[in-house]
Amino acid sequence: MAAAKPIAQIRLPPLPSIKDIIRLYKLRALRELSQNFLMEPRLIDKIVRAAGNINNHVVCEVGPGPGGITRSIIKQAPRKIILIEKDPRFLPSLELLADACKDNIDVDIVTGDILKTNIAHFIPKDIKTGWNDPPPPVHLIGNLPFSVSTILMIRWLEMISRQEGPWELGRTRMTLTFQKEVAERMAARILDKQRCRLSVMCQSWCTVNYKFDISGDAFLPKPDVDVGVVTLTPLKHPIMNQPFKLVEKVVRQIFSMRQKYSLRGAETLFPEEAREEMVRRMYKMAELDPVTRPFQIANGEFSRICDAYSEIIKKYPEFENYDYRAPKKPKIPASNEEIILVE
Ligand code: SAM
């Protein structure tokens, strides 16, 4: 089927302002759903512009609320909009918008939790591209609720690593807001004081671009913190060669003692009896100096540590499920002790 001809811009009919919508439908912001609404159309347009060209694209918006960002997305004439909103009180205002653009844009309104919604289900499959092609005409946009933003990001990174969900269709891009401190961590490079597990996880699978800050004053009600706008594009060639869960475990343990030499955290990947020997071996295999601190380790070096850890647990599968945080330490069979000590 031939693709529909893109429309340059859509002009919405006169609509009540977002402020009026909130007043009209008595939409008191709920703290438990992290509801902080953006009121300033120019700022909202700036977020949507950060997504680049979305004309004739499929756009999924997370948490549209009263629809400020949705209006700005509609103006860019996407092919389809998928709105996923947990709070059903916003349905009438979103339906009003869907009705206003029904002649040009297909709108799906989903009342549900983003953490439980299969976005791919709503995306037409005819826009699939190969992983090594330029990103498909699909975009995920959201002024995310603080309460779910980090967990959602980690979940999406895992889906990206498996090319599942919206990433079945190719390297689907994202334009998202986070608490400023979280956004800075996501983008923090080696030697940056903000560098942490989230930095390594995000940058191992995506190009992360910190676009701009939004002052907390721009929201109603005003949150305690400022906000950062970030774009993420999945990498053609992820930096990590290992499964997501393995990488998550290794990176988490290494950053668990962030002020100390990285080997201190790395030791916690192994039971006490084997620690010294296994970590020495792991750093040797990865060709990494054990006296580097976690924030001094580059993404590629983390990848080598993960490869080395993977080799070690292949050889000593009894270490694979070792959990430093578990209350009881598993006993290592005596027969392993010999193997461990022999290089
Ligand atoms: N997009 C609007 C704006 O920018 O003004 C509202 C943003 S507000 C920070 C977050 C929105 O996400 C709220 O509308 C809230 O109801 C919704 N939300 C909260 N938790 C959600 C979840 N788990 N799934 C989907 N939407 C959620």
Side-chain angles (χ1 to χ4, degrees), residues 144-155 178 182 198:
L144 296 183
F146 291 160
S147 52
V148 298
S149 57
T150 310
I151 182 167
L152 181 66
M153 195 64 246
I154 292 289
R155 214 174 265 196
F178 295 87
V182 175
L198 191 61

Side-chain angles (χ1 to χ4, degrees), residues 262-271 275-276 279 282 322 324:
S262 64
L263 93 164
R264 290 285 163 247
E267 280 174 351
T268 63
L269 289 163
F270 303 101
R275 252 169 219 171
E276 218 183 302
V279 168
M282 192 165 82
Y322 174 72
Y324 178 71

Side-chain angles (χ1 to χ4, degrees), residues 90-283:
F90 294 116
L91 256 178
S93 55
L94 297 175
E95 277 165 356
L96 186 76
L97 282 178
D99 196 51
C101 66
K102 66 176 185 303
D103 294 338
N104 299 307
I105 306 172
D106 184 12
V107 183
D108 278 345
I109 305 175
V110 183
T111 308
D113 187 336
I114 184 62
L115 296 171
K116 295 182 186 150
T117 306
N118 176 8
I119 301 172
H121 177 75
F122 302 93
I123 306 177
K125 301 291 176 281
D126 63 348
I127 51 178
K128 187 173 163 60
T129 57
W131 192 258
N132 291 329
D133 293 335
V138 185
H139 214 109
L140 309 183
I141 297 184
N143 175 17
L144 296 183
F146 291 160
S147 52
V148 298
S149 57
T150 310
I151 182 167
L152 181 66
M153 195 64 246
I154 292 289
R155 214 174 265 196
W156 280 359
L157 287 170
E158 184 163 10
M159 291 169 93
I160 291 168
S161 78
R162 297 198 192 134
Q163 300 181 12
E164 285 176 359
W167 297 280
E168 278 165 32
L169 303 156
R171 293 181 297 119
T172 295
R173 287 171 301 164
M174 296 148 271
T175 300
L176 306 166
T177 64
F178 295 87
Q179 291 185 41
K180 186 169 186 278
E181 199 183 312
V182 175
E184 284 171 349
R185 286 182 186 170
M186 289 167 68
R189 310 299 302 188
I190 181 171
L191 303 184
D192 194 314
K193 69 177 190 318
Q194 302 271 42
R195 183 126 162 122
C196 66
R197 174 170 73 110
L198 191 61
S199 331
V200 179
M201 297 308 285
C202 289
Q203 295 162 29
S204 292
W205 278 279
C206 291
T207 302
V208 184
N209 272 316
Y210 192 111
K211 293 296 222 185
F212 54 90
D213 301 337
I214 304 179
S215 158
D217 294 329
F219 296 85
L220 193 79
K222 178 181 183 300
D224 297 333
V225 290
D226 291 341
V227 164
V229 178
V230 175
T231 61
L232 298 112
T233 308
L235 293 166
K236 271 189 199 171
H237 306 289
I239 289 168
M240 299 292 174
N241 308 310
Q242 302 302 328
F244 188 86
K245 289 278 186 250
L246 183 148
V247 175
E248 199 181 26
K249 181 176 181 182
V250 171
V251 179
R252 182 185 59 227
Q253 292 313 115
I254 289 182
F255 272 104
S256 66
M257 300 188 193
R258 53 173 302 124
Q259 301 306 336
K260 300 196 174 163
Y261 291 143
S262 64
L263 93 164
R264 290 285 163 247
E267 280 174 351
T268 63
L269 289 163
F270 303 101
E272 221 172 318
E273 306 78 20
R275 252 169 219 171
E276 218 183 302
E277 168 63 13
M278 285 299 118
V279 168
R280 190 176 63 75
R281 198 181 285 198
M282 192 165 82
Y283 274 67

Side-chain angles (χ1 to χ4, degrees), residues 33-38 63-65 69 85-86 112-114 143 145:
L33 288 179
S34 311
Q35 291 178 345
N36 303 99
F37 308 123
L38 272 169
I69 296 181
E85 172 55 62
K86 192 169 181 183
D113 187 336
I114 184 62
N143 175 17

